[in-house]
Amino acid sequence: MPITYLPDEDHAVRYVPWARLRKTEDDVVIGVIGAAFKLRAGDDYLSATWLEYFKQATRQENIKSAVKAIRKSNIDVRPKSGFAIGNVGKVKEVCLADPKRHKIRVVHEREDDNEAHTALRAWPSDNDDLLELIAEETWNEVVLNSQVPV
């Protein structure tokens, strides 16, 4: 099967638990924290979902489809959680601009429970400052789980 790289103009959607959402002191969500993009022990890539895979009529419909795909996967999506949306090209650009010049690859890797699953390979998980920059500047659009109907 040929490798499909996501185009730079496309977007990746990542599930973010409540604890990793950036909030005001009144619990108003204003973004995500860098820890939302840290690899778990044993993982060798960052998982996300390809937004434009769904090819719906509107971006909002694509977001709904992506959220529903994530909900159907093996991820335990909690009511207060959210989904971060980031532009592929901007994420790659920020990673490459880091002094360690992380050249990530964003690959469509369909899974049984999520046909739009995407792997971000060569992900810079050990660089907390870079992960914060990614959270603040490139993967900073957030949709709350409660905003997407079941």
Side-chain angles (χ1 to χ4, degrees):
M1 180 179 248
I3 295 174
T4 302
Y5 293 97
L6 274 62
D8 285 350
E9 62 272 10
D10 283 6
H11 298 82
V13 180
R14 177 149 171 87
Y15 172 73
V16 182
W18 176 253
R20 295 203 171 122
L21 292 170
R22 189 178 308 277
K23 302 171 279 293
T24 66
E25 55 190 46
D26 298 327
D27 279 345
V28 175
V29 175
I30 56 173
V32 296
I33 61 174
F37 305 104
K38 193 159 187 78
L39 294 181
R40 293 177 295 186
D43 285 352
D44 59 349
Y45 62 87
L46 190 75
S47 288
T49 297
W50 185 5
L51 181 63
E52 286 78 9
Y53 172 85
F54 299 99
K55 299 179 184 2
Q56 301 291 335
T58 67
R59 187 169 193 273
Q60 280 308 114
E61 289 173 348
N62 278 348
I63 291 170
K64 276 194 228 178
S65 294
V67 168
K68 288 179 180 183
I70 295 168
R71 286 176 180 159
K72 289 179 184 175
S73 73
N74 66 357
I75 296 173
D76 182 20
V77 177
R78 310 302 295 175
K80 290 177 74 173
S81 63
F83 303 90
I85 302 170
N87 172 266
V88 170
K90 288 180 183 175
V91 172
K92 288 167 49 179
E93 183 180 302
V94 167
C95 289
L96 198 55
D98 184 75
K100 291 186 180 178
R101 301 195 49 82
H102 303 278
K103 188 172 182 180
I104 65 167
R105 298 177 323 281
V106 186
V107 184
H108 177 221
E109 293 185 4
R110 177 187 311 252
E111 291 190 345
D112 291 341
D113 62 354
N114 182 351
E115 62 189 33
H117 179 265
T118 298
L120 286 88
R121 299 217 169 257
W123 187 251
S125 186
D126 61 345
N127 187 335
D128 291 342
D129 291 338
L130 178 57
L131 296 181
E132 276 301 321
L133 185 63
I134 288 167
E136 290 174 14
E137 294 188 10
T138 63
W139 216 325
N140 55 1
E141 181 182 354
V142 177
V143 175
L144 297 176
N145 189 33
S146 61
Q147 295 173 315
V148 180
V150 178

